[in-house]
PDB file of all heavy atoms in Angstrom:
ATOM      1  N   THR A1308       3.937  27.236  87.576  1.00  0.00           N
ATOM      2  CA  THR A1308       2.897  27.861  86.783  1.00  0.00           C
ATOM      3  C   THR A1308       2.979  29.352  86.862  1.00  0.00           C
ATOM      4  O   THR A1308       3.721  29.922  87.750  1.00  0.00           O
ATOM      5  CB  THR A1308       1.475  27.539  87.444  1.00  0.00           C
ATOM      6  OG1 THR A1308       1.453  27.987  88.815  1.00  0.00           O
ATOM      7  CG2 THR A1308       1.242  26.060  87.314  1.00  0.00           C
ATOM      8  N   GLY A1327      -6.540  25.010  76.917  1.00  0.00           N
ATOM      9  CA  GLY A1327      -6.114  24.791  75.676  1.00  0.00           C
ATOM     10  C   GLY A1327      -5.119  25.726  75.103  1.00  0.00           C
ATOM     11  O   GLY A1327      -4.513  26.514  75.854  1.00  0.00           O
ATOM     12  N   LEU A1471      15.668  31.466  14.300  1.00  0.00           N
ATOM     13  CA  LEU A1471      16.306  32.335  13.328  1.00  0.00           C
ATOM     14  C   LEU A1471      17.347  31.644  12.493  1.00  0.00           C
ATOM     15  O   LEU A1471      17.299  31.760  11.216  1.00  0.00           O
ATOM     16  CB  LEU A1471      16.791  33.610  13.963  1.00  0.00           C
ATOM     17  CG  LEU A1471      15.793  34.513  14.526  1.00  0.00           C
ATOM     18  CD1 LEU A1471      16.510  35.715  15.197  1.00  0.00           C
ATOM     19  CD2 LEU A1471      14.777  35.053  13.517  1.00  0.00           C
ATOM     20  N   LEU A1475      17.014  30.606   8.482  1.00  0.00           N
ATOM     21  CA  LEU A1475      18.059  30.971   7.528  1.00  0.00           C
ATOM     22  C   LEU A1475      18.484  29.797   6.648  1.00  0.00           C
ATOM     23  O   LEU A1475      18.647  29.871   5.394  1.00  0.00           O
ATOM     24  CB  LEU A1475      19.229  31.628   8.157  1.00  0.00           C
ATOM     25  CG  LEU A1475      20.364  32.092   7.286  1.00  0.00           C
ATOM     26  CD1 LEU A1475      19.934  33.202   6.254  1.00  0.00           C
ATOM     27  CD2 LEU A1475      21.552  32.639   8.111  1.00  0.00           C
ATOM     28  N   TYR A1507       2.050  10.522 -28.798  1.00  0.00           N
ATOM     29  CA  TYR A1507       2.409   9.774 -27.623  1.00  0.00           C
ATOM     30  C   TYR A1507       3.761   9.083 -27.752  1.00  0.00           C
ATOM     31  O   TYR A1507       4.212   8.429 -26.734  1.00  0.00           O
ATOM     32  CB  TYR A1507       1.375   8.743 -27.278  1.00  0.00           C
ATOM     33  CG  TYR A1507       0.002   9.238 -27.048  1.00  0.00           C
ATOM     34  CD1 TYR A1507      -1.009   9.278 -28.057  1.00  0.00           C
ATOM     35  CD2 TYR A1507      -0.381   9.945 -25.824  1.00  0.00           C
ATOM     36  CE1 TYR A1507      -2.312   9.820 -27.748  1.00  0.00           C
ATOM     37  CE2 TYR A1507      -1.596  10.371 -25.609  1.00  0.00           C
ATOM     38  CZ  TYR A1507      -2.582  10.440 -26.579  1.00  0.00           C
ATOM     39  OH  TYR A1507      -3.764  11.041 -26.353  1.00  0.00           O
ATOM     40  N   ALA A1528       1.814   7.113 -19.066  1.00  0.00           N
ATOM     41  CA  ALA A1528       1.710   5.963 -19.984  1.00  0.00           C
ATOM     42  C   ALA A1528       0.624   4.998 -19.515  1.00  0.00           C
ATOM     43  O   ALA A1528      -0.144   4.484 -20.391  1.00  0.00           O
ATOM     44  CB  ALA A1528       3.051   5.122 -19.895  1.00  0.00           C
ATOM     45  N   LEU A1573     -27.287  -1.930 -22.242  1.00  0.00           N
ATOM     46  CA  LEU A1573     -27.467  -2.549 -23.619  1.00  0.00           C
ATOM     47  C   LEU A1573     -27.724  -3.988 -23.543  1.00  0.00           C
ATOM     48  O   LEU A1573     -28.592  -4.551 -24.400  1.00  0.00           O
ATOM     49  CB  LEU A1573     -26.169  -2.216 -24.506  1.00  0.00           C
ATOM     50  CG  LEU A1573     -26.026  -0.723 -24.898  1.00  0.00           C
ATOM     51  CD1 LEU A1573     -24.632  -0.598 -25.597  1.00  0.00           C
ATOM     52  CD2 LEU A1573     -27.074  -0.280 -25.824  1.00  0.00           C
ATOM     53  N   GLU A1596     -50.363 -24.014 -33.347  1.00  0.00           N
ATOM     54  CA  GLU A1596     -50.782 -25.174 -32.677  1.00  0.00           C
ATOM     55  C   GLU A1596     -52.284 -25.107 -32.416  1.00  0.00           C
ATOM     56  O   GLU A1596     -53.044 -26.130 -32.748  1.00  0.00           O
ATOM     57  CB  GLU A1596     -50.139 -25.493 -31.392  1.00  0.00           C
ATOM     58  CG  GLU A1596     -48.636 -25.794 -31.562  1.00  0.00           C
ATOM     59  CD  GLU A1596     -48.337 -27.077 -32.421  1.00  0.00           C
ATOM     60  OE1 GLU A1596     -49.181 -27.918 -32.547  1.00  0.00           O
ATOM     61  OE2 GLU A1596     -47.280 -27.048 -32.976  1.00  0.00           O
ATOM     62  N   LEU A1647     -55.523 -39.856 -40.370  1.00  0.00           N
ATOM     63  CA  LEU A1647     -54.110 -39.604 -40.212  1.00  0.00           C
ATOM     64  C   LEU A1647     -53.765 -38.111 -40.247  1.00  0.00           C
ATOM     65  O   LEU A1647     -52.855 -37.700 -39.621  1.00  0.00           O
ATOM     66  CB  LEU A1647     -53.377 -40.390 -41.460  1.00  0.00           C
ATOM     67  CG  LEU A1647     -53.282 -41.916 -41.320  1.00  0.00           C
ATOM     68  CD1 LEU A1647     -52.728 -42.365 -42.673  1.00  0.00           C
ATOM     69  CD2 LEU A1647     -52.448 -42.358 -40.200  1.00  0.00           C
ATOM     70  N   ASN A1688     -43.553 -39.703 -16.266  1.00  0.00           N
ATOM     71  CA  ASN A1688     -44.555 -40.205 -15.265  1.00  0.00           C
ATOM     72  C   ASN A1688     -45.945 -40.239 -15.907  1.00  0.00           C
ATOM     73  O   ASN A1688     -46.418 -39.260 -16.302  1.00  0.00           O
ATOM     74  CB  ASN A1688     -44.501 -39.185 -14.124  1.00  0.00           C
ATOM     75  CG  ASN A1688     -43.078 -39.033 -13.406  1.00  0.00           C
ATOM     76  OD1 ASN A1688     -42.369 -40.101 -13.330  1.00  0.00           O
ATOM     77  ND2 ASN A1688     -42.733 -37.947 -12.892  1.00  0.00           N
ATOM     78  N   ASN A1718     -31.323 -41.063 -44.697  1.00  0.00           N
ATOM     79  CA  ASN A1718     -31.203 -42.542 -45.099  1.00  0.00           C
ATOM     80  C   ASN A1718     -30.835 -43.416 -43.943  1.00  0.00           C
ATOM     81  O   ASN A1718     -30.114 -44.393 -44.049  1.00  0.00           O
ATOM     82  CB  ASN A1718     -30.177 -42.672 -46.278  1.00  0.00           C
ATOM     83  CG  ASN A1718     -30.581 -41.914 -47.521  1.00  0.00           C
ATOM     84  OD1 ASN A1718     -31.767 -41.745 -47.834  1.00  0.00           O
ATOM     85  ND2 ASN A1718     -29.665 -41.301 -48.184  1.00  0.00           N
TER      86      ASN A1718
END
Side-chain angles (χ1 to χ4, degrees):
T1308 59
L1471 294 176
L1475 179 62
Y1507 299 101
L1573 289 173
E1596 296 300 335
L1647 289 173
N1688 297 329
N1718 297 325

